[in-house]
């Protein structure tokens, strides 16, 4: 189903024109004299709640710095996914992140030329630099240890700048863990778990199924640890599909996209979520502790105090269950497709394996 413009918001590629691109690029200081006169559009990416389109631009004249291509991120054209994004505030969060928070963290981000945000409709459209030929990570295939090392550096660059920062209390739009949320989260998971089991059937291992059943009875207690802190800005969905791998000179770099789940939380939650499904189990078992140690060393090097290695590792092990929770919940509230099903199944199996390896299942009811 096609999208429909809301007020002045461009909700899909059919809502933009050459003048729209010219205004956006002039507003960001990218264009001075040139005007966009024509363009081609090509859908890209694997987003579940957003719809990414690459536009190849043609100008009326040459101008230094005029981008040949840009990427627009529109709300999902799928009614279920779009309604989910509106209901849980994902479009609002990403718009506000780029409007007011991106400058406070040091993680590598794409340049954002335009944020169109309709706060009443809770929808947003953003226009970014095109990072091609950088390649999107693949959550199903996994990544190499070398790639994971670069990603860990980026996570520290996200978490350290606002680690236990009093300014977090002033960011009212960022969700913060609350003690009373645990029962609601457990209830929501419990309502979705039967549908998850039905969808994946025999493809879901007995081990993952048993973990999921136990998790459904202990999620409220488990999640309360998020309330304790230390708190910082977290991505909330830090996985390979939201990472673009490229090079800067001879150095590999990674750029993080999709800030629709940004929140206040615990940094190792992002880390366990990434390593648990981003690395294949054998690679994770071999390199996991070294990578978590590297993360901790980077935090300390960036000025984080009062968070010792033992606490870091303990938090990491505890939050290895986060990815299993996300696999169950997210798979049931967005549009189902073949790749999405394969991705969520891979996440569930790998995070179950991670939780068993690290003993996180021991905190759950038998």
């Amino acid at each position: 189903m096609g999208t429909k413009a809301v007020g002045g918001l461009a909700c899909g590629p059919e809502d933009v024109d050459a003048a729209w691109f010219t205004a956006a690029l002039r507003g960001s200081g990218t264009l001075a004299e040139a005007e966009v006169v024509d363009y081609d559009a090509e859908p890209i990416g694997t987003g579940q709640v957003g719809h990414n389109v690459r536009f190849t631009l043609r100008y009326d004249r040459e101008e230094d710095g005029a981008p040949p291509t840009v990427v627009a991120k529109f709300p999902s054209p799928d009614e279920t996914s779009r309604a989910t994004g509106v209901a849980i505030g994902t479009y609002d969060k990403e718009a506000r992140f780029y409007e007011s928070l991106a400058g406070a963290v040091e993680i590598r981000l794409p340049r954002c030329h335009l944020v169109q945000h309709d706060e009443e409709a809770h929808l947003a459209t953003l226009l970014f630099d095109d990072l091609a030929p950088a390649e999107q990570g693949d959550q199903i295939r996994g990544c190499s240890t070398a790639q994971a090392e670069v990603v860990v550096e980026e996570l520290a660059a996200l978490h350290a700048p606002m680690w236990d920062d009093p300014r977090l209390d002033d960011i009212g739009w960022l969700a913060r863990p609350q003690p009373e949320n645990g029962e609601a989260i457990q209830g929501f998971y419990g309502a979705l778990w039967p549908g998850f089991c039905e969808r994946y059937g025999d493809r879901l291992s007995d081990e993952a199924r048993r973990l999921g059943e136990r998790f459904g009875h202990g999620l409220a207690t488990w999640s309360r640890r998020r309330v304790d802190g230390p708190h910082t800005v977290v991505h909330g969905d830090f996985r390979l599909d939201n990472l673009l791998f490229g090079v800067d000179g001879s150095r590999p770099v990674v750029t993080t996209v999709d800030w629709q789940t940004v929140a206040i939380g615990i940094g190792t939650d992002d880390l366990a979520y990434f390593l648990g499904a981003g690395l294949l189990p054998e690679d994770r078992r071999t390199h996991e502790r070294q990578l978590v140690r590297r993360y901790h060393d980077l935090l300390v090097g960036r000025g984080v105090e009062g968070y010792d290695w033992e606490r870091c590792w303990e938090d990491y092990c505890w939050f290895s269950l986060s990815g299993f929770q996300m696999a169950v919940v997210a798979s049931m509230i967005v549009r189902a497709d073949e790749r999405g099903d394969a991705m969520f199944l891979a996440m569930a199996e790998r995070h179950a394996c991670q939780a068993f390896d690290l003993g996180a299942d021991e905190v759950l009811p038998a």
Side-chain angles (χ1 to χ4, degrees):
M1 176 174 289
T3 54
K4 183 178 179 181
V6 177
L9 181 72
C11 286
E14 66 276 8
D15 295 329
V16 303
D17 56 22
W20 187 85
F21 289 107
T22 299
L25 294 173
R26 285 189 177 165
S28 67
T30 304
L31 288 185
E33 300 294 335
E35 295 184 5
V36 178
V37 294
D38 199 5
Y39 57 86
D40 296 315
E42 172 195 8
I44 60 172
T46 57
Q48 295 287 324
V49 182
H51 177 47
N52 296 323
V53 179
R54 172 180 290 122
F55 291 91
T56 301
L57 306 179
R58 291 184 285 277
Y59 300 89
D60 65 343
R61 71 194 76 181
E62 293 185 2
E63 182 175 317
D64 290 343
T69 58
V70 290
V71 172
K73 184 173 186 178
F74 301 105
S76 175
D78 177 77
E79 290 185 1
T80 299
S81 294
R82 186 171 177 175
T84 296
V86 169
I88 62 179
T90 55
Y91 302 122
D92 289 329
K93 290 172 189 173
E94 185 160 42
R96 288 170 178 155
F97 173 80
Y98 280 103
E99 288 172 331
S100 63
L101 193 55
V105 295
E106 297 174 11
I107 193 170
R108 182 182 288 263
L109 302 168
R111 182 182 182 187
C112 185
H113 295 283
L114 174 71
V115 177
Q116 281 191 327
H117 184 199
D118 188 321
E119 296 190 22
E120 292 185 3
H122 303 290
L123 295 170
T125 290
L126 302 95
L127 186 67
F128 298 104
D129 270 353
D130 184 6
L131 299 180
E135 294 185 357
Q136 181 185 23
D138 187 327
Q139 189 73 13
I140 300 172
R141 185 177 66 239
C143 70
S144 68
T145 305
Q147 288 175 314
E149 290 173 352
V150 179
V151 173
V152 165
E153 293 178 6
E154 288 297 311
L155 266 181
L158 168 63
H159 297 152
M162 298 198 72
W163 191 274
D164 260 357
D165 194 312
R167 291 177 295 171
L168 293 173
D169 296 331
D170 299 326
I171 310 175
W173 59 269
L174 270 184
R176 175 187 287 270
Q178 301 293 339
E180 62 272 17
N181 289 352
E183 294 296 335
I185 295 170
Q186 181 168 311
F188 189 47
Y189 173 97
L192 297 174
W193 172 247
F196 182 83
C197 292
E198 181 179 355
R199 177 179 297 178
Y200 293 104
D202 293 341
R203 292 182 292 168
L204 190 66
S205 69
D206 291 341
E207 292 78 8
R209 193 180 295 270
R210 285 195 296 270
L211 179 70
E213 291 285 351
R214 293 172 59 198
F215 196 32
H217 296 291
L219 199 157
T221 301
W222 169 84
S223 68
R224 291 191 188 112
R225 187 174 184 126
R226 288 183 171 136
V227 179
D228 298 337
H231 290 136
T232 188
V233 174
V234 296
H235 184 277
D237 192 19
F238 198 82
R239 56 186 171 85
L240 282 171
D241 283 4
N242 294 328
L243 303 176
L244 298 175
F245 292 87
V247 294
D248 183 2
S250 60
R251 181 179 182 274
V253 296
V254 61
T255 303
T256 303
V257 298
D258 195 357
W259 293 87
Q260 296 177 333
T261 51
V262 62
I264 295 172
I266 296 179
T268 47
D269 211 335
D270 273 346
L271 181 62
Y273 181 64
F274 167 69
L275 292 179
L279 291 174
L280 298 181
E282 285 305 315
D283 287 338
R284 175 186 54 75
R285 293 184 184 111
T286 301
H287 301 284
E288 185 170 40
R289 194 176 186 92
Q290 175 186 349
L291 289 166
V292 180
R293 172 70 81 170
R294 174 62 175 156
Y295 169 79
H296 182 261
D297 289 346
L298 289 165
L299 290 181
V300 173
R302 285 177 170 270
V304 170
E305 298 178 346
Y307 192 62
D308 61 33
W309 160 246
E310 288 74 18
R311 173 65 186 278
C312 179
W313 178 251
E314 185 178 294
D315 282 345
Y316 174 83
C317 294
W318 187 275
F319 291 116
S320 61
L321 285 162
S322 295
F324 194 91
Q325 176 189 355
M326 178 67 87
V328 172
V329 173
S331 65
M332 293 291 102
I333 62 174
V334 299
R335 172 180 55 88
D337 58 35
E338 184 176 353
R339 187 190 183 279
D341 280 353
M343 179 189 73
F344 289 125
L345 181 62
M347 289 173 62
E349 292 292 348
R350 291 175 196 170
H351 283 295
C353 181
Q354 180 191 29
F356 284 126
D357 286 345
L358 297 174
D361 62 301
E362 296 173 7
V363 306
L364 302 175

